[in-house]
Each structure stands twice: as C-alpha cells, then as structure tokens.
Amino acid sequence: MFRTSRQRLAACTAAAALAATAASLAAPATATGAAARGELTYGTVILLQNRYGGDGGYLDTNGVSSRPGATYNVSTNNRPNSRGPATSQWRVVSATGKATGSRVVSGDVVYLVNQYGNHTYLDTNGVSGRQGAKYEVSATVTKDRGPGTGRWHIFGVTSSPTDGHIRTDDTVHLLNDYGSANGGFLDTNGVSNQGGGAKYAVSTSPYSDRGTGTGSWKVLPAT
C-alpha cells in the first residue's frame, strides 16, 4: 500500500514510463519524423543521376518505344525533367510488400515507377546489341512485363552511418531481377540517339560498373 499521495503519483509515473519504453521496443522500425531525415523511404519520388564522368545525366523516359510490351524509351537526360513533366522522376515502391513510409534498405527489391503520364515501370526488354551490354531498358505500364523484368535489387555503395539504410546523396547499383537476378546492372552505354535532350543510352550490364561510374547512380530528391 502507498502511504501518501506523493508516493502514489511517483508509482504511477514510473509505471507509465515503463509501459512507454516497452511499447517503443515492440513498435516496428518505421521511418517517421526525425528518424527519416535523409533516409530513403518507400513512396518517395527521387531522381537518379548517373555517375559516369561525374554526371552521366538523369534517368529519364524519352519517346514512345517500339519494343514489344514497352511504352517509353529510357535514356539519361542532361537536365532533370527538361524533356517533359516528371520524365526524370521515379517513385520507389517495394516489390516485396514493405509498407509505404518504411525505410529502403540495401539489398531490397524495388519497382521504379516513372511519374510522367500514365506512370510506367522501369523494365528490361530484349537482348541488347550494344557492346558490353546485356538487355535493353524501357518503361512499361505493366508491373512485371516478364518474370522479374520490372524488379530491381538496390545496393548502396556506402552510407553514413553504415547501418544499411539508403539515403539521399548515396550512390547505388541497381540489379535487375529477370532470370533470378540475372538481368544485369542498370548502366549507361554510349551516346543516345533519342534526341529531346537525351545524353546516354541506358541498358543493363553483367558488371556493377562496366566503365567508371556507368553503373553507379546517385539518389537525389525530386524537388
């Protein structure tokens, strides 16, 4: 029994603090508030800047594709969104059911959804004839045009702190999941002939960096 009101108040305060601590330990590690600052979370819209030559351009949809099942061609562009509204903007969506707002962790499998027009998925589509390339890359309205063609494993090169989370300004590699993660790494390869401000052609490569920075992409905020 508590002898005084002061003792009862102290006991209630301690019990409340203990319950709050237990609840915080049991809560899922979602990225909310200050914890999410600088961290990439599902549902975020980003730009991807290729690191070839320091600036290989921004991943971009560019023109109607003639490839079977494809909607738009993909290249890099000198300036983000200069070809059309949101053509260089990509929403990061979990391919494994992770909740919107949760952190993107190195090794996760994601969809990259372009924000131009009818919102198309980054996709591998057909064998590439480019030297050192594996598959051509386009964008399609179908989430997975073929088995794994629209899924990408995202790997961070490093981050600060080194906790496995992907952050804005981090550099990542993107490995396509076609053929059981055998679709190659997203890569720039040669000058693009697509016009409209296009810089380099985009395909996949067996190597994470076929050339210096060709398979490296800097994560940048879309605004």
Side-chain angles (χ1 to χ4, degrees):
M1 297 291 292
F2 299 113
R3 297 177 182 176
T4 68
S5 297
R6 186 185 298 273
Q7 287 174 319
R8 286 194 294 271
L9 179 60
C12 290
T13 302
L18 182 61
T21 300
S24 67
L25 292 174
T30 55
T32 58
R37 291 177 186 170
E39 295 178 342
L40 182 60
T41 58
Y42 284 108
T44 302
V45 178
I46 61 171
L47 305 174
L48 287 167
Q49 182 188 30
N50 189 258
R51 304 310 294 156
Y52 176 66
D55 178 10
Y58 297 84
L59 189 67
D60 187 80
T61 51
N62 189 332
V64 175
S65 176
S66 60
R67 290 190 166 272
T71 306
Y72 298 119
N73 295 314
V74 172
S75 61
T76 65
N77 206 358
N78 282 300
R79 292 187 296 114
N81 305 318
S82 60
R83 195 196 59 75
T87 57
S88 301
Q89 295 183 4
W90 302 85
R91 186 178 299 278
V92 184
V93 176
S94 175
T96 59
K98 288 191 174 184
T100 298
S102 59
R103 295 180 177 92
V104 180
V105 178
S106 183
D108 279 359
V109 186
V110 304
Y111 292 112
L112 293 170
V113 187
N114 190 257
Q115 297 302 287
Y116 174 74
N118 50 4
H119 294 188
T120 51
Y121 293 82
L122 190 69
D123 184 82
T124 50
N125 190 332
V127 175
S128 176
R130 291 184 176 271
Q131 186 174 3
K134 194 162 189 175
Y135 295 114
E136 292 295 330
V137 172
S138 55
T140 176
V141 293
T142 308
K143 183 179 289 186
D144 273 306
R145 185 192 50 78
T149 59
R151 297 171 179 242
W152 301 84
H153 297 255
I154 185 168
F155 297 108
V157 173
T158 188
S159 194
S160 180
T162 53
D163 53 10
H165 300 161
I166 305 294
R167 292 174 170 80
T168 53
D169 292 327
D170 283 355
T171 297
V172 299
H173 298 298
L174 291 157
L175 175 64
N176 189 255
D177 204 35
Y178 177 65
S180 300
N182 198 30
F185 291 89
L186 190 68
D187 184 80
T188 52
N189 188 331
V191 175
S192 175
N193 61 4
Q194 290 177 14
K199 190 167 188 176
Y200 294 118
V202 174
S203 52
T204 65
S205 166
Y207 305 105
S208 56
D209 268 313
R210 182 189 52 80
T212 305
T214 59
S216 296
W217 302 84
K218 189 175 184 179
V219 177
L220 296 170
T223 55

Coordinates of all heavy atoms in Angstrom, one line a residue, residues 36-117:
A36 N 13.6 9.7 -40.1 CA 13.5 9.5 -41.5 C 14.3 10.6 -42.3 O 14.4 10.5 -43.5 CB 12.1 9.5 -42.0
R37 N 14.9 11.6 -41.6 CA 15.6 12.7 -42.3 C 16.8 12.1 -43.1 O 17.7 11.5 -42.5 CB 16.0 13.7 -41.3 CG 14.8 14.5 -40.7 CD 15.3 15.5 -39.7 NE 14.2 16.1 -39.0 CZ 14.3 16.9 -37.9 NH1 15.4 17.1 -37.4 NH2 13.2 17.4 -37.4
G38 N 16.7 12.4 -44.4 CA 17.8 11.9 -45.2 C 17.7 10.5 -45.6 O 18.5 10.0 -46.5
E39 N 16.8 9.7 -45.0 CA 16.7 8.3 -45.4 C 15.7 8.1 -46.5 O 14.6 8.8 -46.5 CB 16.3 7.5 -44.2 CG 17.4 7.5 -43.1 CD 17.0 6.7 -41.9 OE1 15.8 6.4 -41.7 OE2 17.9 6.3 -41.1
L40 N 15.9 7.2 -47.4 CA 15.0 6.9 -48.5 C 13.9 6.0 -48.0 O 14.2 5.0 -47.3 CB 15.7 6.3 -49.7 CG 14.9 5.9 -50.9 CD1 14.3 7.2 -51.5 CD2 15.8 5.2 -51.9
T41 N 12.7 6.4 -48.2 CA 11.5 5.6 -47.7 C 10.6 5.2 -48.9 O 10.6 5.9 -49.9 CB 10.7 6.3 -46.6 OG1 10.3 7.6 -47.2 CG2 11.6 6.6 -45.4
Y42 N 9.9 4.1 -48.7 CA 9.0 3.7 -49.8 C 7.9 4.7 -50.0 O 7.3 5.2 -49.1 CB 8.5 2.3 -49.5 CG 9.5 1.2 -49.7 CD1 10.1 0.6 -48.6 CD2 9.9 0.9 -51.0 CE1 11.0 -0.4 -48.9 CE2 10.8 0.0 -51.2 CZ 11.4 -0.7 -50.2 OH 12.4 -1.6 -50.4
G43 N 7.7 5.0 -51.3 CA 6.7 6.0 -51.7 C 7.4 7.3 -52.1 O 6.7 8.2 -52.7
T44 N 8.7 7.5 -51.7 CA 9.4 8.7 -52.1 C 9.6 8.8 -53.6 O 9.9 7.8 -54.2 CB 10.7 8.7 -51.3 OG1 10.5 8.7 -49.9 CG2 11.5 10.0 -51.6
V45 N 9.6 10.0 -54.1 CA 9.9 10.2 -55.5 C 11.3 10.8 -55.6 O 11.6 11.8 -54.9 CB 8.9 11.2 -56.2 CG1 9.2 11.5 -57.6 CG2 7.5 10.6 -56.1
I46 N 12.1 10.2 -56.4 CA 13.6 10.6 -56.5 C 14.0 10.8 -57.9 O 13.3 10.5 -58.9 CB 14.4 9.5 -55.9 CG1 14.3 8.2 -56.7 CG2 14.1 9.3 -54.4 CD1 15.3 7.1 -56.3
L47 N 15.2 11.4 -58.0 CA 15.9 11.5 -59.3 C 17.1 10.5 -59.2 O 17.6 10.3 -58.0 CB 16.5 12.9 -59.5 CG 15.5 14.0 -59.6 CD1 16.3 15.3 -59.7 CD2 14.5 13.9 -60.7
L48 N 17.5 9.9 -60.3 CA 18.7 9.0 -60.3 C 19.7 9.6 -61.3 O 19.5 9.6 -62.5 CB 18.3 7.6 -60.7 CG 17.6 6.8 -59.6 CD1 17.0 5.6 -60.2 CD2 18.5 6.5 -58.5
Q49 N 20.8 10.1 -60.8 CA 21.9 10.8 -61.6 C 23.0 9.8 -61.8 O 23.6 9.3 -60.9 CB 22.4 12.0 -60.9 CG 23.5 12.8 -61.7 CD 24.1 13.9 -60.9 OE1 24.3 13.8 -59.7 NE2 24.5 14.9 -61.6
N50 N 23.3 9.5 -63.1 CA 24.4 8.5 -63.4 C 25.7 9.2 -63.1 O 25.9 10.4 -63.3 CB 24.3 8.1 -64.9 CG 25.2 7.0 -65.2 OD1 26.3 7.3 -65.8 ND2 24.9 5.8 -64.8
R51 N 26.7 8.4 -62.6 CA 28.0 8.9 -62.2 C 29.1 8.8 -63.2 O 30.2 9.2 -62.9 CB 28.4 8.2 -60.9 CG 27.4 8.3 -59.7 CD 26.9 9.7 -59.5 NE 28.0 10.6 -59.0 CZ 28.0 11.9 -59.1 NH1 27.1 12.5 -59.8 NH2 29.0 12.6 -58.6
Y52 N 28.8 8.4 -64.4 CA 29.8 8.3 -65.5 C 30.3 9.7 -65.7 O 29.5 10.7 -66.0 CB 29.2 7.7 -66.7 CG 30.2 7.7 -67.9 CD1 31.4 6.9 -67.8 CD2 30.0 8.5 -69.0 CE1 32.3 6.9 -68.9 CE2 30.9 8.5 -70.1 CZ 32.0 7.7 -70.0 OH 32.9 7.7 -71.0
G53 N 31.6 9.9 -65.7 CA 32.2 11.2 -65.9 C 31.8 12.3 -64.9 O 31.9 13.5 -65.1
G54 N 31.3 11.8 -63.7 CA 30.8 12.7 -62.7 C 29.4 13.1 -62.8 O 28.7 13.3 -61.9
D55 N 28.9 13.2 -64.1 CA 27.5 13.4 -64.3 C 27.1 12.8 -65.7 O 27.3 13.4 -66.7 CB 27.2 14.9 -64.4 CG 25.8 15.3 -64.7 OD1 24.9 14.4 -64.7 OD2 25.5 16.5 -64.9
G56 N 26.6 11.6 -65.6 CA 26.1 10.9 -66.8 C 24.7 11.2 -67.2 O 24.1 10.5 -68.1
G57 N 24.1 12.2 -66.5 CA 22.7 12.5 -66.8 C 21.7 11.8 -65.9 O 22.1 11.0 -65.1
Y58 N 20.5 12.3 -66.0 CA 19.4 11.8 -65.1 C 18.6 10.8 -65.9 O 18.1 11.0 -67.0 CB 18.6 13.0 -64.7 CG 19.3 14.0 -63.9 CD1 20.1 15.0 -64.5 CD2 19.3 13.9 -62.5 CE1 20.8 15.9 -63.8 CE2 20.0 14.9 -61.7 CZ 20.8 15.8 -62.4 OH 21.5 16.7 -61.7
L59 N 18.3 9.7 -65.2 CA 17.5 8.6 -65.7 C 16.1 9.2 -66.1 O 15.4 9.8 -65.3 CB 17.3 7.5 -64.7 CG 16.6 6.2 -65.2 CD1 17.5 5.5 -66.3 CD2 16.3 5.2 -64.1
D60 N 15.7 8.9 -67.4 CA 14.6 9.6 -68.0 C 13.8 8.8 -69.0 O 14.4 8.0 -69.7 CB 15.2 10.9 -68.7 CG 14.2 11.9 -69.2 OD1 13.7 12.7 -68.4 OD2 13.9 11.8 -70.4
T61 N 12.5 9.0 -69.1 CA 11.7 8.4 -70.2 C 11.7 9.4 -71.3 O 11.6 10.6 -71.1 CB 10.3 8.1 -69.7 OG1 9.7 9.2 -69.1 CG2 10.2 6.9 -68.7
N62 N 11.8 8.8 -72.5 CA 12.0 9.7 -73.7 C 11.5 9.0 -75.0 O 12.1 8.2 -75.6 CB 13.5 9.9 -73.9 CG 13.8 11.0 -74.9 OD1 13.1 11.2 -75.8 ND2 14.9 11.7 -74.8
G63 N 10.2 9.4 -75.3 CA 9.6 9.0 -76.5 C 9.0 7.6 -76.5 O 9.3 6.8 -75.6
V64 N 8.1 7.3 -77.4 CA 7.3 6.1 -77.5 C 8.3 5.0 -77.9 O 9.0 5.1 -78.9 CB 6.1 6.2 -78.4 CG1 5.4 4.9 -78.5 CG2 5.2 7.3 -77.8
S65 N 8.2 3.8 -77.3 CA 9.1 2.7 -77.6 C 8.4 1.8 -78.6 O 7.2 1.6 -78.6 CB 9.4 1.9 -76.3 OG 10.2 0.7 -76.7
S66 N 9.2 1.2 -79.5 CA 8.7 0.3 -80.5 C 8.9 -1.2 -80.0 O 8.5 -2.1 -80.7 CB 9.4 0.5 -81.8 OG 10.8 0.2 -81.6
R67 N 9.5 -1.4 -78.8 CA 9.7 -2.7 -78.3 C 8.4 -3.4 -77.9 O 7.5 -2.7 -77.3 CB 10.7 -2.7 -77.2 CG 12.1 -2.3 -77.6 CD 13.1 -2.5 -76.6 NE 14.5 -2.5 -77.2 CZ 15.1 -3.5 -77.7 NH1 14.5 -4.7 -77.6 NH2 16.3 -3.4 -78.3
P68 N 8.2 -4.7 -78.1 CA 7.0 -5.4 -77.7 C 6.7 -5.2 -76.2 O 7.6 -5.5 -75.4 CB 7.3 -6.8 -78.0 CG 8.4 -6.8 -79.0 CD 9.2 -5.6 -78.7
G69 N 5.5 -4.7 -75.9 CA 5.1 -4.6 -74.5 C 5.6 -3.3 -73.8 O 5.2 -3.0 -72.7
A70 N 6.5 -2.6 -74.5 CA 7.1 -1.4 -73.9 C 6.2 -0.1 -74.2 O 5.5 -0.1 -75.2 CB 8.5 -1.1 -74.3
T71 N 6.3 0.9 -73.3 CA 5.6 2.1 -73.5 C 6.5 3.2 -74.0 O 6.3 3.9 -75.0 CB 4.8 2.5 -72.2 OG1 4.0 1.4 -71.8 CG2 4.0 3.8 -72.5
Y72 N 7.6 3.5 -73.2 CA 8.5 4.6 -73.5 C 10.0 4.1 -73.5 O 10.3 3.1 -72.9 CB 8.5 5.6 -72.4 CG 7.1 6.3 -72.3 CD1 6.4 6.2 -71.1 CD2 6.6 7.0 -73.3 CE1 5.2 6.9 -71.0 CE2 5.3 7.6 -73.2 CZ 4.6 7.5 -72.1 OH 3.4 8.1 -71.9
N73 N 10.8 4.7 -74.3 CA 12.2 4.5 -74.3 C 12.8 5.1 -73.0 O 12.2 6.0 -72.4 CB 12.9 5.2 -75.5 CG 12.5 4.6 -76.8 OD1 12.4 3.4 -77.0 ND2 12.1 5.5 -77.8
V74 N 14.0 4.7 -72.6 CA 14.7 5.2 -71.5 C 16.1 5.6 -71.9 O 16.8 4.8 -72.6 CB 14.7 4.1 -70.3 CG1 15.6 4.6 -69.2 CG2 13.3 3.9 -69.8
S75 N 16.5 6.8 -71.4 CA 17.9 7.2 -71.6 C 18.3 8.0 -70.4 O 17.5 8.1 -69.4 CB 18.0 8.1 -72.9 OG 17.1 9.2 -72.8
T76 N 19.4 8.7 -70.5 CA 19.6 9.8 -69.5 C 19.5 11.1 -70.2 O 19.6 11.2 -71.4 CB 21.0 9.7 -68.8 OG1 22.1 9.9 -69.8 CG2 21.2 8.3 -68.1
N77 N 19.2 12.1 -69.3 CA 19.0 13.5 -69.9 C 19.9 14.4 -69.2 O 20.2 14.3 -68.0 CB 17.5 13.9 -69.6 CG 17.0 14.9 -70.6 OD1 17.7 15.4 -71.4 ND2 15.8 15.3 -70.4
N78 N 20.3 15.5 -69.9 CA 21.3 16.4 -69.3 C 20.7 17.2 -68.1 O 21.4 17.4 -67.1 CB 21.7 17.5 -70.4 CG 22.7 16.9 -71.3 OD1 23.8 16.5 -70.9 ND2 22.4 16.9 -72.6
R79 N 19.4 17.5 -68.2 CA 18.8 18.2 -67.1 C 17.5 17.5 -66.7 O 16.7 17.0 -67.5 CB 18.4 19.7 -67.5 CG 19.7 20.5 -67.7 CD 19.3 22.0 -67.9 NE 18.5 22.2 -69.1 CZ 17.3 22.6 -69.2 NH1 16.6 22.8 -68.0 NH2 16.7 22.7 -70.3
P80 N 17.3 17.3 -65.4 CA 16.1 16.6 -65.0 C 14.8 17.2 -65.4 O 14.6 18.4 -65.3 CB 16.2 16.5 -63.4 CG 17.1 17.7 -63.1 CD 18.0 17.8 -64.2
N81 N 13.9 16.4 -65.9 CA 12.5 16.9 -66.3 C 12.5 18.0 -67.4 O 11.5 18.6 -67.5 CB 11.7 17.4 -65.0 CG 11.7 16.3 -63.9 OD1 11.5 15.2 -64.2 ND2 11.9 16.8 -62.7
S82 N 13.6 18.1 -68.1 CA 13.6 19.2 -69.1 C 12.9 18.7 -70.4 O 12.5 19.5 -71.2 CB 15.1 19.5 -69.4 OG 15.8 18.4 -69.9
R83 N 12.7 17.4 -70.6 CA 12.1 16.9 -71.8 C 10.6 16.9 -71.7 O 9.9 17.2 -72.6 CB 12.6 15.5 -72.1 CG 12.2 15.0 -73.5 CD 12.4 13.5 -73.6 NE 11.5 12.8 -72.6 CZ 10.2 12.7 -72.8 NH1 9.6 13.2 -73.9 NH2 9.4 12.1 -71.9
G84 N 10.1 16.7 -70.4 CA 8.6 16.7 -70.2 C 8.4 16.7 -68.7 O 9.3 16.4 -67.9
P85 N 7.1 16.9 -68.3 CA 6.8 16.9 -66.8 C 7.0 15.6 -66.2 O 6.5 14.6 -66.5 CB 5.3 17.3 -66.8 CG 5.0 17.8 -68.2 CD 5.9 17.2 -69.1
A86 N 8.0 15.6 -65.2 CA 8.3 14.4 -64.3 C 8.9 13.3 -65.1 O 8.9 12.1 -64.6 CB 7.0 14.0 -63.6
T87 N 9.4 13.5 -66.3 CA 10.0 12.3 -67.0 C 11.3 11.8 -66.3 O 11.6 10.6 -66.6 CB 10.4 12.8 -68.4 OG1 11.3 13.9 -68.4 CG2 9.2 13.1 -69.3
S88 N 11.9 12.6 -65.4 CA 13.1 12.1 -64.7 C 12.7 11.7 -63.2 O 13.6 11.4 -62.5 CB 14.2 13.2 -64.7 OG 14.5 13.5 -66.0
Q89 N 11.5 11.7 -62.9 CA 11.1 11.4 -61.5 C 10.6 10.0 -61.4 O 9.8 9.5 -62.2 CB 10.0 12.4 -61.0 CG 10.5 13.8 -61.0 CD 9.4 14.7 -60.4 OE1 8.3 14.3 -60.0 NE2 9.7 16.0 -60.4
W90 N 11.1 9.3 -60.3 CA 10.8 7.9 -60.1 C 10.3 7.6 -58.7 O 11.0 8.0 -57.8 CB 12.0 7.0 -60.4 CG 12.6 7.2 -61.8 CD1 13.4 8.2 -62.2 CD2 12.3 6.5 -63.0 NE1 13.7 8.1 -63.6 CE2 13.0 7.0 -64.0 CE3 11.5 5.3 -63.2 CZ2 12.9 6.5 -65.3 CZ3 11.4 4.8 -64.5 CH2 12.1 5.4 -65.5
R91 N 9.2 7.0 -58.6 CA 8.7 6.7 -57.2 C 9.2 5.3 -56.9 O 9.2 4.3 -57.7 CB 7.2 6.6 -57.2 CG 6.6 6.4 -55.8 CD 5.1 6.4 -55.7 NE 4.6 7.7 -56.2 CZ 4.5 8.8 -55.4 NH1 4.9 8.7 -54.1 NH2 4.0 9.9 -55.9
V92 N 9.7 5.2 -55.6 CA 10.3 3.9 -55.1 C 9.2 3.1 -54.4 O 8.6 3.6 -53.4 CB 11.5 4.1 -54.2 CG1 12.1 2.8 -53.8 CG2 12.5 5.0 -54.8
V93 N 8.9 1.9 -55.0 CA 7.8 1.1 -54.4 C 8.4 -0.3 -54.1 O 9.2 -0.8 -54.9 CB 6.7 0.9 -55.5 CG1 5.6 0.0 -55.0 CG2 6.1 2.3 -55.8
S94 N 8.0 -0.8 -53.0 CA 8.5 -2.1 -52.6 C 8.0 -3.2 -53.5 O 6.8 -3.2 -53.8 CB 8.2 -2.4 -51.1 OG 8.6 -3.8 -50.8
A95 N 8.8 -4.1 -53.9 CA 8.4 -5.3 -54.7 C 8.1 -6.5 -53.8 O 7.8 -7.6 -54.3 CB 9.5 -5.6 -55.8
T96 N 8.3 -6.3 -52.5 CA 8.1 -7.5 -51.6 C 7.1 -7.1 -50.5 O 7.0 -7.9 -49.5 CB 9.4 -7.8 -50.9 OG1 10.0 -6.7 -50.2 CG2 10.5 -8.3 -51.9
G97 N 6.3 -6.0 -50.7 CA 5.2 -5.8 -49.8 C 5.6 -4.9 -48.6 O 4.7 -4.7 -47.7
K98 N 6.7 -4.3 -48.6 CA 7.1 -3.4 -47.5 C 6.2 -2.1 -47.5 O 5.8 -1.7 -48.6 CB 8.5 -3.0 -47.5 CG 9.5 -4.1 -47.1 CD 10.9 -3.5 -47.0 CE 11.8 -4.6 -46.4 NZ 13.2 -4.1 -46.2
A99 N 5.8 -1.6 -46.4 CA 4.8 -0.6 -46.3 C 5.4 0.8 -46.8 O 6.6 1.1 -46.6 CB 4.4 -0.4 -44.8
T100 N 4.5 1.6 -47.4 CA 4.8 2.9 -47.7 C 5.3 3.7 -46.4 O 4.6 3.6 -45.4 CB 3.6 3.7 -48.3 OG1 3.2 3.0 -49.5 CG2 4.0 5.1 -48.6
G101 N 6.4 4.4 -46.5 CA 6.9 5.1 -45.4 C 8.0 4.3 -44.6 O 8.7 4.9 -43.8
S102 N 8.2 3.0 -44.9 CA 9.3 2.3 -44.2 C 10.6 2.5 -45.0 O 10.6 2.9 -46.1 CB 8.9 0.8 -44.2 OG 8.7 0.3 -45.5
R103 N 11.6 2.3 -44.3 CA 13.0 2.6 -44.9 C 13.3 1.6 -46.0 O 13.0 0.4 -46.0 CB 14.0 2.5 -43.8 CG 13.9 3.5 -42.7 CD 15.0 3.3 -41.6 NE 15.0 4.3 -40.6 CZ 14.4 4.2 -39.4 NH1 13.7 3.1 -39.2 NH2 14.4 5.1 -38.5
V104 N 14.1 2.2 -47.0 CA 14.6 1.3 -48.0 C 16.0 0.9 -47.5 O 16.9 1.7 -47.2 CB 14.8 2.1 -49.3 CG1 15.4 1.2 -50.4 CG2 13.4 2.6 -49.8
V105 N 16.3 -0.4 -47.5 CA 17.5 -1.0 -47.0 C 18.3 -1.6 -48.2 O 17.7 -2.2 -49.1 CB 17.2 -2.1 -46.0 CG1 18.5 -2.7 -45.5 CG2 16.4 -1.4 -44.8
S106 N 19.6 -1.4 -48.1 CA 20.4 -2.0 -49.2 C 20.2 -3.5 -49.3 O 20.1 -4.2 -48.3 CB 21.9 -1.8 -48.8 OG 22.8 -2.3 -49.8
G107 N 19.9 -3.9 -50.6 CA 19.5 -5.3 -50.8 C 18.1 -5.5 -51.1 O 17.7 -6.6 -51.5
D108 N 17.2 -4.5 -50.8 CA 15.8 -4.6 -51.0 C 15.5 -4.7 -52.5 O 16.3 -4.3 -53.4 CB 15.1 -3.3 -50.5 CG 14.8 -3.4 -49.0 OD1 15.1 -4.4 -48.4 OD2 14.2 -2.4 -48.5
V109 N 14.3 -5.3 -52.8 CA 13.9 -5.4 -54.2 C 12.8 -4.3 -54.4 O 11.8 -4.3 -53.7 CB 13.4 -6.8 -54.5 CG1 13.1 -6.9 -56.0 CG2 14.4 -7.8 -54.1
V110 N 12.9 -3.5 -55.4 CA 12.0 -2.4 -55.6 C 11.5 -2.3 -57.1 O 12.1 -2.9 -58.0 CB 12.8 -1.0 -55.3 CG1 13.3 -1.0 -53.9 CG2 13.8 -0.7 -56.3
Y111 N 10.4 -1.6 -57.2 CA 9.9 -1.1 -58.5 C 10.3 0.4 -58.6 O 10.2 1.1 -57.6 CB 8.4 -1.3 -58.7 CG 7.9 -2.7 -58.7 CD1 7.2 -3.2 -57.7 CD2 8.2 -3.5 -59.8 CE1 6.7 -4.5 -57.8 CE2 7.7 -4.8 -59.9 CZ 7.0 -5.3 -58.9 OH 6.5 -6.6 -58.9
L112 N 10.6 0.8 -59.8 CA 10.9 2.2 -60.0 C 9.8 2.7 -61.0 O 9.8 2.3 -62.2 CB 12.3 2.5 -60.6 CG 13.4 2.2 -59.6 CD1 14.8 2.2 -60.3 CD2 13.4 3.2 -58.4
V113 N 8.9 3.6 -60.5 CA 7.8 4.0 -61.3 C 7.9 5.4 -61.8 O 8.0 6.3 -61.0 CB 6.5 3.9 -60.4 CG1 5.3 4.1 -61.3 CG2 6.4 2.5 -59.7
N114 N 8.1 5.5 -63.1 CA 8.2 6.9 -63.6 C 6.9 7.7 -63.5 O 5.8 7.2 -63.7 CB 8.6 6.8 -65.1 CG 9.0 8.1 -65.7 OD1 8.3 8.7 -66.4 ND2 10.3 8.5 -65.4
Q115 N 7.1 9.0 -63.2 CA 5.9 9.8 -62.9 C 5.4 10.6 -64.1 O 4.4 11.3 -63.9 CB 6.3 10.8 -61.7 CG 6.7 10.1 -60.5 CD 5.6 9.2 -59.9 OE1 4.5 9.7 -59.4 NE2 5.7 7.9 -60.0
Y116 N 5.9 10.4 -65.2 CA 5.4 11.0 -66.4 C 4.1 10.3 -66.9 O 4.1 9.1 -66.9 CB 6.4 11.0 -67.6 CG 5.9 11.5 -68.9 CD1 5.7 12.9 -69.1 CD2 5.6 10.7 -69.9 CE1 5.2 13.4 -70.3 CE2 5.1 11.1 -71.1 CZ 4.9 12.5 -71.3 OH 4.4 12.9 -72.5
G117 N 3.1 11.0 -67.3 CA 1.9 10.5 -67.9 C 1.3 9.4 -67.1 O 0.9 9.6 -65.9

